[in-house]
Amino acid sequence: FQFEIGDIVRESDLIAWSSDGPLLGLIINIKRDRYHGYSTFYEDSLPIDKVTVLWFKEGFIESLRSDLLILITRDPFYQNIKS
């Protein structure tokens, strides 16, 4: 699975620290294959993207690994342009 610019995401429970629950944000930049993860199902490493997120409530920008985010929604307009 790959995130796209414009996706609305939330923090994974692994990194959520706010007492109000996981942060929600907008992906504003993506650098593909910046990290590599490993799985018992694959012999080779799995590429992981570095994404930059604008967190709505907190109002700050953060870059982090894509495997620490969960997709909430994807803009269908953006997908139609891309196709």
Side-chain angles (χ1 to χ4, degrees):
F1 176 81
Q2 287 190 328
F3 288 107
E4 300 293 341
I5 293 174
D7 286 350
I8 305 295
V9 295
R10 76 168 179 86
E11 296 175 295
S12 160
D13 292 335
L14 294 172
I15 63 168
W17 55 269
S18 174
S19 60
D20 294 338
L23 297 177
L24 295 177
L26 174 72
I27 293 181
I28 58 173
N29 193 25
I30 301 172
K31 295 187 180 195
R32 301 282 183 207
D33 305 336
R34 286 297 171 128
Y35 305 101
H36 293 282
Y38 293 91
S39 168
T40 57
F41 301 109
Y42 301 101
E43 290 183 16
D44 297 325
S45 64
L46 303 171
I48 299 170
D49 298 337
K50 179 179 181 179
V51 298
T52 303
V53 179
L54 169 61
W55 296 115
F56 296 135
K57 184 175 180 183
E58 301 297 327
F60 68 90
I61 294 173
E62 178 180 26
S63 294
L64 63 159
R65 296 165 48 117
S66 62
D67 60 343
L68 297 175
L69 299 172
I70 297 170
L71 179 68
I72 298 296
T73 189
R74 177 166 282 165
D75 185 352
F77 177 75
Y78 176 78
Q79 291 304 307
N80 290 336
I81 293 173
K82 192 175 172 189
S83 300

